[in-house]
Amino acid sequence: MILIMRNSRTSARAAAKDATHERIVAVAARAIRRSGYDGTGVADIMKEAGLTHGAFYSHFASREAMLAEAAARACAESAGAVAEVVAQVPPGSALAAMLAVYLSKEHAAAVDVGCPLAALGSETSRQAPELRRVATRHIKEMVDLLARQSPDWGSPAAHERALLTISTMVGALMLSRAVDEPALAEGLREAALKHLAPGGH
C-alpha cells in the first residue's frame, strides 16, 4: 500500500513537471515568433509562464535547448494548421485553400501563432545547428506537402514547383510584414496568391 502511494505521488510529480515543461515550451514557441530568437530571454519566458527564473534549469540544459524545443513546437503547430486546412476541402482544392489562408491578412497579423519560417527565416541562418535542423525539417515537410497537391506528384517538376511555391509564400509574407504601408503589404500578398494559385498565371 505504501509502495503504491509512493508510486502515485511520483507519477503525479512527473506529470506536473511534464505539464510545466509543456507550458514553458508553448510560451516560448509564441515568444520566438513574436520577438525573434535574440529577443527571447529566459527570464521573460519564465515570467510569462508564471514560474521563477530558477526553475528553468530543472527543465532545460540551456537557453538553446529551450529555443530548439520552442522552434519544433512552432513548426508542429504550423504544420498542424496547414493539415487542418487540407482536411477541410476536396483534394483538388487543397493548394488554393492553403495559399489563401497562408497569404491572408489574418495570418500576416498573427505573427506569434503563424508560420515560423516567415517569422524567423531571416534570423535562422545565424542560429545554432539544432535550430537550423528544426527549420530544415519543417521546410522539407512543407515542400513535400505542397508537391503532393500536384497531379504529377513524384516528378522532378512537382518538387521544383513546390520549392518555388514555398519560397514565394514565405517571402511574400515576410515582406508584407516588413513594410509600413498597408496597401503595399496587401499588394505583395495578393500578387503572390494570384501567381501561385492553380490557373492563376
Side-chain angles (χ1 to χ4, degrees):
M1 184 69 175
I2 291 172
L3 184 60
I4 291 169
M5 288 173 66
R6 279 181 185 156
N7 285 343
S8 65
R9 279 201 300 269
T10 302
S11 297
R13 275 199 302 271
K17 184 174 181 180
D18 288 346
T20 300
H21 187 94
E22 287 300 305
R23 187 161 85 245
I24 297 167
V25 173
V27 167
R30 292 178 72 112
I32 58 174
R33 285 174 282 188
R34 182 177 62 239
S35 307
Y37 289 122
D38 294 340
T40 301
V42 169
D44 294 332
I45 294 299
M46 296 305 280
K47 183 178 178 182
E48 193 176 333
L51 300 162
T52 63
H53 190 170
F56 176 82
Y57 291 101
S58 67
H59 292 277
F60 303 96
S62 65
R63 176 176 172 272
E64 287 67 32
M66 176 194 69
L67 292 178
E69 279 198 51
R73 167 67 68 88
C75 290
E77 289 173 358
S78 181
V82 172
E84 199 173 304
V85 171
V86 171
Q88 290 175 355
V89 297
S93 306
L95 179 57
M98 286 164 58
L99 291 167
V101 171
Y102 191 92
L103 293 166
S104 67
K105 185 177 182 179
E106 292 75 20
H107 186 203
V111 178
D112 62 341
V113 292
C115 173
L117 300 177
L120 298 161
S122 62
E123 291 185 55
T124 304
S125 63
R126 297 186 293 276
Q127 301 306 312
E130 55 267 37
L131 286 170
R132 295 186 69 194
R133 175 51 35 196
V134 169
T136 300
R137 275 199 305 267
H138 184 54
I139 290 167
K140 289 170 81 171
E141 286 170 2
M142 292 303 296
V143 167
D144 184 57
L145 180 61
L146 289 165
R148 285 173 183 270
Q149 310 314 312
S150 295
D152 58 344
W153 175 57
S155 71
H159 181 72
E160 188 175 301
R161 276 196 307 276
L163 292 173
L164 177 62
T165 299
I166 193 169
S167 299
T168 307
M169 288 166 62
V170 174
L173 189 61
M174 284 178 70
L175 293 177
S176 77
R177 287 173 173 171
V179 299
D180 64 356
E181 294 179 12
L184 177 57
E186 185 175 354
L188 287 160
R189 293 192 310 274
E190 288 294 324
L193 184 57
K194 181 179 175 183
H195 180 77
L196 295 174
H201 296 278

